[in-house]
Amino acid sequence: MPDVTVINDLSEDIHVAFFIGVPTSWKNHLKPGERWTTHLASLPLHFEARSVTGSREFSHDESMEMFATIGGACAAGTASVVSAGAMFASDMLAGIPMVSVPLMAAASAGGTKYGEWGAGGRKCTARVWVPLWHQPQYSVRMVDGRCVLWDVDANRVV
């Protein structure tokens, strides 16, 4: 499990996190010029940087709430498909909308809520792969007027 370093090359404090579905490793109030190193699994991860002024901090409670929301949405979506399939198989076609539609609506609402988490203060996001044999360094910086995650070793935008 490699160490990953994030450098704040912006002129403001930011909140940063790595996600495996939900935030699993984060640093709130990363100051300009400050480095944060964390130990991560060698997996495809999602990275997010948030503005300190426009969003809330990352937290264990937020991660658990996100996990419950997306877990409930997945369960509702699965239940809607299974119930529709069971009713279709038993020729109870009239019951499919009564059971499946509310479940799918709940799944959709959960997915929407999950996608909007932190959106108001989100500065930049990126997908990263943390290889087992490498200790990557990333920089949050402005490039062409937009916030990006920069791979320091490869000298390019992630």
Side-chain angles (χ1 to χ4, degrees):
M1 292 179 54
D3 287 335
V4 177
T5 300
V6 176
I7 306 159
N8 180 0
D9 282 325
L10 300 175
S11 60
E12 63 180 286
D13 288 14
I14 53 175
H15 305 312
V16 295
F18 288 97
F19 288 61
I20 303 173
V22 299
T24 54
S25 186
W26 60 83
K27 167 79 170 132
N28 292 313
H29 298 281
L30 187 65
K31 308 247 179 267
E34 185 179 2
R35 294 170 169 263
W36 167 61
T37 301
T38 186
H39 199 61
L40 296 173
S42 184
L43 294 168
L45 302 167
H46 174 79
F47 173 83
E48 183 175 302
R50 294 179 182 172
S51 168
V52 168
T53 56
S55 69
R56 26 184 232 194
E57 295 180 345
F58 291 103
S59 68
H60 177 75
D61 289 345
E62 177 189 48
S63 292
M64 292 299 99
E65 187 179 350
M66 287 178 80
F67 181 73
T69 297
I70 200 63
C74 289
T78 301
S80 75
V81 172
V82 169
S83 64
M87 288 186 171
F88 184 77
S90 64
D91 292 329
M92 297 177 59
L93 298 177
I96 290 175
M98 287 178 33
V99 175
S100 291
V101 171
L103 287 169
M104 190 50 75
S108 179
T112 299
K113 181 178 179 183
Y114 176 83
E116 292 173 350
W117 238 289
R122 195 175 293 142
K123 295 193 75 59
C124 67
T125 63
R127 296 276 181 200
V128 297
W129 169 258
V130 179
L132 189 57
W133 58 89
H134 185 61
Q135 310 289 322
Q137 289 190 77
Y138 299 111
S139 166
V140 180
R141 60 175 69 169
M142 296 299 285
V143 174
D144 297 329
R146 67 182 182 101
C147 181
V148 299
L149 186 64
W150 187 267
D151 185 325
V152 174
D153 300 322
N155 196 31
R156 63 175 174 80
V157 173
V158 174

